[in-house]
């Protein structure tokens, strides 16, 4: 239920953003985040809940290479 | 420093038997799907907690939704799995098959759109979910049409953690905390729980590597006895959370005591509409008729949600209760402990 999908904002109109999820585009509401075109956001139940921190995301990806 | 798996193996030899509870249904699903229990040492027991909103919604609220669905000129909207939970022998989907207008939605925005297109009908949205989902309800409510109302089943999550720890029979040594709840509420509520109960917690993302990294940090805290709240999901979770979302929740809802399936009444865990939004509370438009909820006495969902029972400890599991014919909510939801044990760990 708390699943949230990351996607890139490609257009903003008022409190709505068009988000690209790896090829599929869908609208979501951005009322509770401060986001710009080009930002990556996490979308849950039609609403963005968080803007992804690119620097931290890259650190996590590096860390995750060390799992096994 | 070795790999995460090597570190988990190494730490497990130093700490004895421990029980770690994951607190989000999406974690439950990821742990089962990726076979995490099969690659960690046997003395590290992972149990599922009350982190699946479908699972913890009490039968009385589902029964109420069914009553509304049966009324004339009403469209009842619900999130996916919620519609499949049977209470007293039938679910919202069963009502749909009986001819009631029940619709599955992905977002409260979808329900509001349905209301806009059906002005001659009352549209009722069953709103479930924790702090992750509540902001969407809080935002939408200021713009919905008059024929729209909400069955408010939202809940604050941290009070459930406190209830588990105060229950007396808790054997939990650490929490894998829900990353997307934390994205909204930040670290402080978890820190407050640490201050009171001194229990190790890691805020976790949802892929298997992120869950293992969180588990490693919890085991490290147990071993070193340097307990804390560690944020292992920094790319999403800020220390202060999402302030705008928290303000919206505060504008629309206030705290009240609320019932959870399995956990019973939990203080200040409910999200009651503030007076200015009470017109949109379905309870003020459709009075619930008296009913008695009939539940299978052998269903152990309640104990499973507290981490006291594993799905396999339930006599109904896999035989009378399975995904094709689920008896309890933990088998219905794709995030439920029973559903995931049945699909991935049988």
């Amino acid at each position: 239920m708390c699943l949230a999908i990351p996607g890139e904002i490609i257009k903003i109109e008022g409190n709505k953003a068009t988000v690209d999820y790896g090829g599929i585009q869908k609208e979501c509401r951005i009322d509770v985040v401060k986001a710009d075109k080009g930002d990556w956001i996490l979308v849950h139940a039609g609403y963005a809940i968080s803007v992804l921190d690119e620097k931290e995301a890259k650190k996590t990806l590096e860390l995750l290479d060390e799992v096994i | 420093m070795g790999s995460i798996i090597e570190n988990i193996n190494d730490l497990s030899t130093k700490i004895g038997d421990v029980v770690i509870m994951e607190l989000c249904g999406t974690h439950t699903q990821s742990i089962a799907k990726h076979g995490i229990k099969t690659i960690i040492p046997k003395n590290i027991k992972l149990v599922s907690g009350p982190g699946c909103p479908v699972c913890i919604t009490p039968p009385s609220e589902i029964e109420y939704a069914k009553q509304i669905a049966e009324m004339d000129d009403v469209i009842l909207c619900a999130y996916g799995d919620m519609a499949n939970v049977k209470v007293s022998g039938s679910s919202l989907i069963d009502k749909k098959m009986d001819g009631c207008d029940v619709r599955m939605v992905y977002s409260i925005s979808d329900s509001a759109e349905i209301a806009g297109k059906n002005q001659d009908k009352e549209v009722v949205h069953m709103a479930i979910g924790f702090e992750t989902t509540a902001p969407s309800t809080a935002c939408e409510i200021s713009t919905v049409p008059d024929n729209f109302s909400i069955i408010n089943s939202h809940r604050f999550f941290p009070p459930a953690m406190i209830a588990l720890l105060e229950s007396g029979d808790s054997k939990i040594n650490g929490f894998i905390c829900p990353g997307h709840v934390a994205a909204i509420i930040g670290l402080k509520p978890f820190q407050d729980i640490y201050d009171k109960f001194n229990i190790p917690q890691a805020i976790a993302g949802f892929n298997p590597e992120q869950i293992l990294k969180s588990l490693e940090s919890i085991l490290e805290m147990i071993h070193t006895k340097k307990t804390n709240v560690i944020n292992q999901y920094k790319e999403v979770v800020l220390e202060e959370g999402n302030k705008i979302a928290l303000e919206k929740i505060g504008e629309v809802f206030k705290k009240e005591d609320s019932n959870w399936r399995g956990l019973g009444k939990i203080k200040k865990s409910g999200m009651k509409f503030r007076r200015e939004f009470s017109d949109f509370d379905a309870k003020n438009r459709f009075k619930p008729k008296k009913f008695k909820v009939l539940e299978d006495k052998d269903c152990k969902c309640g104990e499973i949600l507290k981490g006291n029972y594993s799905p396999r400890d339930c006599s109904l599991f896999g035989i009378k209760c399975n995904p094709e014919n689920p008896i309890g909510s933990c088998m219905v939801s794709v995030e439920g402990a029973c559903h995931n044990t049945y699909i991935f760990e049988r």
Side-chain angles (χ1 to χ4, degrees):
Chain A
M1 175 75 200
C2 284
L3 187 70
I5 311 292
E8 184 182 2
I9 296 180
I10 54 171
K11 196 170 87 180
I12 290 180
E13 269 179 81
N15 59 1
K16 285 182 182 165
T18 306
V19 181
D20 183 81
Y21 304 93
I24 296 168
Q25 293 180 0
K26 202 167 166 20
E27 260 189 6
C28 81
R29 293 272 295 261
I30 50 168
D31 302 44
V32 299
V33 293
K34 285 180 184 158
D36 295 317
K37 191 179 160 189
D39 282 345
W40 279 73
I41 53 174
L42 268 184
V43 181
H44 164 77
Y47 274 71
I49 57 164
S50 177
V51 180
L52 283 164
D53 183 321
E54 197 181 336
K55 211 168 79 187
E56 289 293 345
K58 276 184 183 157
K59 262 200 258 174
T60 303
L61 284 176
E62 284 165 20
L63 185 77
L64 299 182
D65 283 340
E66 299 166 16
V67 172
I68 298 168
Chain B
M1 192 178 131
S3 71
I4 296 173
I5 292 286
E6 282 168 356
N7 289 344
I8 287 175
N9 282 329
D10 181 46
L11 286 162
S12 74
T13 63
K14 298 171 182 167
I15 57 174
D17 293 349
V18 292
V19 177
I20 310 297
M21 177 177 274
E22 85 268 2
L23 289 171
C24 179
T26 314
H27 286 146
T28 302
Q29 197 177 22
S30 188
I31 287 167
K33 190 174 173 186
H34 297 100
I36 286 179
K37 287 177 191 166
T38 65
I39 58 168
I40 61 172
K42 294 277 178 260
N43 60 318
I44 312 296
K45 188 178 179 193
L46 295 181
V47 297
S48 304
C52 154
V54 171
C55 304
I56 62 91
T57 299
S60 57
E61 289 171 29
I62 300 164
E63 189 64 36
Y64 175 54
K66 279 163 54 187
Q67 283 184 7
I68 293 177
E70 283 174 339
M71 293 174 182
D72 293 333
D73 299 321
V74 164
I75 301 172
L76 193 289
C77 301
Y79 293 126
D81 285 347
M82 197 69 245
N84 285 308
V85 181
K86 284 187 196 289
V87 173
S88 301
S90 66
S91 65
L92 284 167
I93 285 289
D94 292 326
K95 293 292 157 198
K96 185 177 176 71
M97 288 194 286
D98 289 346
C100 301
D101 197 344
V102 175
R103 303 191 192 183
M104 306 301 103
V105 291
Y106 157 72
S107 164
I108 190 170
S109 306
D110 298 340
S111 302
E113 193 180 328
I114 290 168
K117 288 178 181 168
N118 293 274
Q119 299 279 346
D120 56 333
K121 295 194 173 171
E122 281 287 324
V123 174
V124 184
H125 174 85
M126 186 172 191
I128 60 166
F130 306 122
E131 289 91 336
T132 324
T133 321
S136 63
T137 301
C139 290
E140 204 76 36
I141 203 164
S142 54
T143 56
V144 292
D146 289 341
N147 62 328
F148 188 82
S149 61
I150 292 165
I151 299 171
N152 182 358
S153 292
H154 285 307
R155 281 169 177 81
F156 293 104
F157 193 72
M161 296 171 70
I162 294 167
L164 282 172
L165 294 169
E166 285 181 339
S167 68
D169 52 1
S170 165
K171 298 178 185 72
I172 307 157
N173 302 106
F175 283 129
I176 297 173
C177 295
H180 292 151
V181 168
I184 303 296
I185 67 176
L187 301 190
K188 190 175 180 302
F190 301 102
Q191 202 74 42
D192 291 345
I193 290 170
Y194 155 72
D195 289 343
K196 193 168 176 193
F197 299 97
N198 196 35
I199 186 162
Q201 300 165 70
I203 313 290
F206 297 91
N207 65 40
E209 296 88 350
Q210 289 170 318
I211 292 170
L212 284 168
K213 185 67 194 162
S214 297
L215 180 61
E216 180 198 17
S217 58
I218 291 169
L219 300 182
E220 180 76 30
M221 285 189 268
I222 292 171
H223 171 55
T224 59
K225 298 189 171 60
K226 288 179 184 164
T227 308
N228 210 331
V229 179
I230 293 183
N231 182 4
Q232 294 287 13
Y233 199 28
K234 283 184 184 160
E235 63 270 38
V236 170
V237 177
L238 301 176
E239 188 171 350
E240 68 274 21
N242 181 330
K243 284 183 178 172
I244 308 171
L246 284 173
E247 272 172 29
K248 286 304 290 186
I249 290 175
E251 275 171 28
V252 174
F253 302 106
K254 61 181 180 180
K255 292 177 181 174
E256 67 170 353
D257 297 349
S258 176
N259 273 316
W260 294 50
R261 187 193 284 257
L263 283 78
K265 187 167 272 192
I266 300 179
K267 276 185 187 169
K268 295 181 178 177
S269 67
M271 295 193 192
K272 185 182 168 69
F273 283 122
R274 291 188 181 278
R275 190 177 300 163
E276 53 269 45
F277 300 100
S278 60
D279 281 353
F280 295 102
D281 188 337
K283 284 191 178 138
N284 292 329
R285 297 192 193 185
F286 311 96
K287 292 287 170 217
K289 285 182 281 184
K290 277 191 180 168
F291 56 84
K292 196 175 170 190
V293 172
L294 301 171
E295 285 202 281
D296 195 311
K297 286 190 193 76
D298 292 325
C299 174
K300 295 283 187 295
C301 277
E303 291 301 315
I304 289 166
L305 288 166
K306 289 190 277 191
N308 292 340
Y309 278 60
S310 296
R312 284 190 187 83
D313 297 332
C314 177
S315 62
L316 305 178
F317 178 78
I319 304 164
K320 200 171 161 190
C321 180
N322 54 60
E324 287 294 309
N325 180 32
I327 307 287
S329 59
C330 300
M331 186 60 89
V332 172
S333 169
V334 293
E335 295 189 342
C338 299
H339 184 95
N340 281 288
T341 302
Y342 187 93
I343 298 288
F344 297 111
E345 296 173 352
R346 261 196 321 154

